[in-house]
Short mmCIF file of all heavy atoms in Angstrom, two decimals:
data_model
loop_
_atom_site.label_atom_id
_atom_site.label_comp_id
_atom_site.label_asym_id
_atom_site.label_seq_id
_atom_site.Cartn_x
_atom_site.Cartn_y
_atom_site.Cartn_z
N LEU B 1 -1.69 -3.94 -2.42
CA LEU B 1 -2.84 -3.33 -1.78
C LEU B 1 -3.05 -3.94 -0.36
O LEU B 1 -3.36 -3.30 0.62
CB LEU B 1 -4.08 -3.43 -2.60
CG LEU B 1 -4.09 -2.55 -3.84
CD1 LEU B 1 -5.30 -2.89 -4.75
CD2 LEU B 1 -4.08 -1.14 -3.50
N LEU B 2 -2.95 -5.29 -0.31
CA LEU B 2 -3.18 -5.99 0.93
C LEU B 2 -2.18 -5.60 1.99
O LEU B 2 -2.48 -5.30 3.17
CB LEU B 2 -3.15 -7.51 0.71
CG LEU B 2 -3.31 -8.42 1.92
CD1 LEU B 2 -4.67 -8.16 2.55
CD2 LEU B 2 -3.18 -9.87 1.57
N VAL B 3 -0.86 -5.59 1.59
CA VAL B 3 0.19 -5.21 2.51
C VAL B 3 0.07 -3.78 2.99
O VAL B 3 0.21 -3.42 4.17
CB VAL B 3 1.60 -5.46 1.86
CG1 VAL B 3 2.71 -5.00 2.83
CG2 VAL B 3 1.77 -6.97 1.60
N SER B 4 -0.23 -2.86 2.05
CA SER B 4 -0.36 -1.47 2.41
C SER B 4 -1.60 -1.21 3.34
O SER B 4 -1.48 -0.44 4.30
CB SER B 4 -0.54 -0.62 1.19
OG SER B 4 -1.70 -0.92 0.45
N ARG B 5 -2.65 -1.96 3.08
CA ARG B 5 -3.81 -1.86 4.00
C ARG B 5 -3.48 -2.38 5.43
O ARG B 5 -3.88 -1.79 6.43
CB ARG B 5 -4.97 -2.61 3.43
CG ARG B 5 -5.63 -2.08 2.22
CD ARG B 5 -6.52 -0.88 2.53
NE ARG B 5 -7.36 -0.53 1.38
CZ ARG B 5 -7.01 0.37 0.46
NH1 ARG B 5 -5.87 0.96 0.51
NH2 ARG B 5 -7.86 0.64 -0.57
N LEU B 6 -2.78 -3.51 5.47
CA LEU B 6 -2.39 -4.04 6.78
C LEU B 6 -1.45 -3.02 7.53
O LEU B 6 -1.65 -2.86 8.72
CB LEU B 6 -1.63 -5.34 6.57
CG LEU B 6 -2.50 -6.56 6.16
CD1 LEU B 6 -1.62 -7.75 5.80
CD2 LEU B 6 -3.56 -6.89 7.22
N LEU B 7 -0.50 -2.39 6.85
CA LEU B 7 0.35 -1.40 7.48
C LEU B 7 -0.47 -0.18 7.91
O LEU B 7 -0.21 0.38 8.96
CB LEU B 7 1.45 -1.01 6.52
CG LEU B 7 2.45 -2.04 6.15
CD1 LEU B 7 3.51 -1.56 5.15
CD2 LEU B 7 3.26 -2.51 7.42
N GLU B 8 -1.46 0.16 7.10
CA GLU B 8 -2.26 1.30 7.45
C GLU B 8 -3.07 1.07 8.73
O GLU B 8 -3.12 1.94 9.62
CB GLU B 8 -3.23 1.61 6.26
CG GLU B 8 -4.17 2.79 6.56
CD GLU B 8 -5.13 2.93 5.39
OE1 GLU B 8 -4.94 2.32 4.32
OE2 GLU B 8 -6.17 3.69 5.60
N PHE B 9 -3.67 -0.14 8.82
CA PHE B 9 -4.48 -0.39 10.00
C PHE B 9 -3.74 -0.78 11.25
O PHE B 9 -4.09 -0.44 12.34
CB PHE B 9 -5.49 -1.51 9.66
CG PHE B 9 -6.52 -1.17 8.66
CD1 PHE B 9 -6.79 -1.94 7.57
CD2 PHE B 9 -7.22 0.06 8.73
CE1 PHE B 9 -7.76 -1.58 6.66
CE2 PHE B 9 -8.14 0.41 7.82
CZ PHE B 9 -8.41 -0.39 6.74
N SER B 10 -2.56 -1.46 11.02
CA SER B 10 -1.80 -1.91 12.19
C SER B 10 -0.80 -0.91 12.70
O SER B 10 -0.60 -0.78 13.89
CB SER B 10 -1.03 -3.19 11.87
OG SER B 10 -0.10 -2.97 10.78
N LEU B 11 -0.18 -0.13 11.77
CA LEU B 11 0.81 0.85 12.22
C LEU B 11 0.42 2.27 11.97
O LEU B 11 1.09 3.22 12.33
CB LEU B 11 2.13 0.57 11.39
CG LEU B 11 2.75 -0.81 11.65
CD1 LEU B 11 4.00 -0.97 10.77
CD2 LEU B 11 3.02 -1.03 13.08
N GLY B 12 -0.75 2.48 11.34
CA GLY B 12 -1.27 3.81 11.16
C GLY B 12 -0.50 4.68 10.17
O GLY B 12 -0.40 5.86 10.24
N ILE B 13 0.07 3.99 9.13
CA ILE B 13 0.86 4.74 8.12
C ILE B 13 -0.12 5.56 7.22
O ILE B 13 -1.32 5.30 7.20
CB ILE B 13 1.69 3.82 7.24
CG1 ILE B 13 0.74 2.96 6.34
CG2 ILE B 13 2.59 2.93 8.04
CD1 ILE B 13 1.43 2.26 5.20
N ASN B 14 0.42 6.60 6.61
CA ASN B 14 -0.33 7.48 5.74
C ASN B 14 -0.91 6.71 4.59
O ASN B 14 -0.17 5.92 3.90
CB ASN B 14 0.56 8.60 5.27
CG ASN B 14 -0.28 9.72 4.60
OD1 ASN B 14 -1.39 9.54 4.10
ND2 ASN B 14 0.33 10.94 4.60
N VAL B 15 -2.16 6.86 4.25
CA VAL B 15 -2.85 6.15 3.14
C VAL B 15 -2.17 6.61 1.82
O VAL B 15 -2.29 5.91 0.79
CB VAL B 15 -4.33 6.47 3.15
CG1 VAL B 15 -4.63 7.92 2.78
CG2 VAL B 15 -5.04 5.50 2.21
N ALA B 16 -1.50 7.73 1.78
CA ALA B 16 -0.91 8.23 0.53
C ALA B 16 0.22 7.33 0.09
O ALA B 16 0.66 7.44 -1.07
CB ALA B 16 -0.34 9.65 0.73
N HIS B 17 0.71 6.48 0.96
CA HIS B 17 1.76 5.53 0.51
C HIS B 17 1.27 4.54 -0.56
O HIS B 17 2.07 3.78 -1.11
CB HIS B 17 2.29 4.73 1.70
CG HIS B 17 3.18 5.61 2.66
ND1 HIS B 17 4.35 6.21 2.20
CD2 HIS B 17 2.97 5.98 3.93
CE1 HIS B 17 4.84 6.92 3.20
NE2 HIS B 17 4.03 6.75 4.29
N GLU B 18 0.00 4.46 -0.76
CA GLU B 18 -0.57 3.60 -1.75
C GLU B 18 -0.18 4.06 -3.16
O GLU B 18 -0.42 3.37 -4.11
CB GLU B 18 -2.09 3.51 -1.63
CG GLU B 18 -2.54 2.86 -0.41
CD GLU B 18 -4.11 2.85 -0.28
OE1 GLU B 18 -4.72 3.60 -1.02
OE2 GLU B 18 -4.62 2.18 0.59
N ALA B 19 0.40 5.26 -3.29
CA ALA B 19 0.83 5.77 -4.56
C ALA B 19 1.87 4.97 -5.23
O ALA B 19 2.03 4.91 -6.43
CB ALA B 19 1.33 7.19 -4.45
N GLY B 20 2.58 4.16 -4.46
CA GLY B 20 3.65 3.28 -5.02
C GLY B 20 3.07 1.99 -5.65
O GLY B 20 3.85 1.12 -6.06
N TYR B 21 1.79 1.87 -5.63
CA TYR B 21 1.10 0.70 -6.17
C TYR B 21 1.55 0.35 -7.60
O TYR B 21 1.75 -0.86 -7.91
CB TYR B 21 -0.39 0.98 -6.15
CG TYR B 21 -1.29 0.21 -7.03
CD1 TYR B 21 -1.75 -1.02 -6.69
CD2 TYR B 21 -1.70 0.72 -8.26
CE1 TYR B 21 -2.65 -1.71 -7.48
CE2 TYR B 21 -2.55 0.04 -9.07
CZ TYR B 21 -3.01 -1.19 -8.69
OH TYR B 21 -3.85 -1.89 -9.53
N ILE B 22 1.85 1.30 -8.40
CA ILE B 22 2.28 1.09 -9.83
C ILE B 22 3.58 0.30 -9.85
O ILE B 22 3.85 -0.48 -10.79
CB ILE B 22 2.43 2.44 -10.56
CG1 ILE B 22 2.87 2.19 -11.96
CG2 ILE B 22 3.38 3.35 -9.89
CD1 ILE B 22 1.94 1.42 -12.80
N GLY B 23 4.42 0.49 -8.84
CA GLY B 23 5.76 -0.14 -8.87
C GLY B 23 5.68 -1.66 -8.80
O GLY B 23 6.57 -2.33 -9.30
N SER B 24 4.62 -2.19 -8.23
CA SER B 24 4.55 -3.62 -8.05
C SER B 24 4.35 -4.35 -9.39
O SER B 24 4.58 -5.59 -9.50
CB SER B 24 3.37 -4.02 -7.08
OG SER B 24 2.16 -3.57 -7.66
N MET B 25 3.94 -3.62 -10.43
CA MET B 25 3.67 -4.30 -11.71
C MET B 25 4.69 -3.91 -12.80
O MET B 25 4.54 -4.34 -13.94
CB MET B 25 2.27 -3.96 -12.23
CG MET B 25 2.03 -2.45 -12.30
SD MET B 25 0.33 -2.01 -12.71
CE MET B 25 0.36 -2.29 -14.51
N LEU B 26 5.71 -3.23 -12.41
CA LEU B 26 6.72 -2.77 -13.41
C LEU B 26 7.59 -3.90 -13.99
O LEU B 26 8.28 -3.69 -14.98
CB LEU B 26 7.56 -1.61 -12.81
CG LEU B 26 6.78 -0.30 -12.50
CD1 LEU B 26 7.74 0.73 -11.91
CD2 LEU B 26 6.12 0.22 -13.80
N PHE B 27 7.58 -5.06 -13.34
CA PHE B 27 8.33 -6.16 -13.90
C PHE B 27 7.74 -6.64 -15.24
O PHE B 27 8.43 -7.40 -16.04
CB PHE B 27 8.32 -7.37 -12.94
CG PHE B 27 6.92 -7.92 -12.67
CD1 PHE B 27 6.37 -8.89 -13.48
CD2 PHE B 27 6.20 -7.49 -11.58
CE1 PHE B 27 5.08 -9.37 -13.25
CE2 PHE B 27 4.93 -7.99 -11.32
CZ PHE B 27 4.38 -8.93 -12.21
#
């Protein structure tokens, strides 16, 4: 969430990219 927020505010990426959040816990 922190990295995606930073990319959203600094590079203006689409907020919909947060959908990949589930992948970070699949380990």
Side-chain angles (χ1 to χ4, degrees):
L1 290 173
L2 178 62
V3 173
S4 63
R5 290 284 193 269
L6 289 175
L7 292 176
E8 178 186 347
F9 292 133
S10 60
L11 301 179
I13 67 167
N14 192 337
V15 69
H17 288 299
E18 292 176 349
Y21 158 85
I22 179 61
S24 63
M25 54 184 281
L26 292 178
F27 62 86

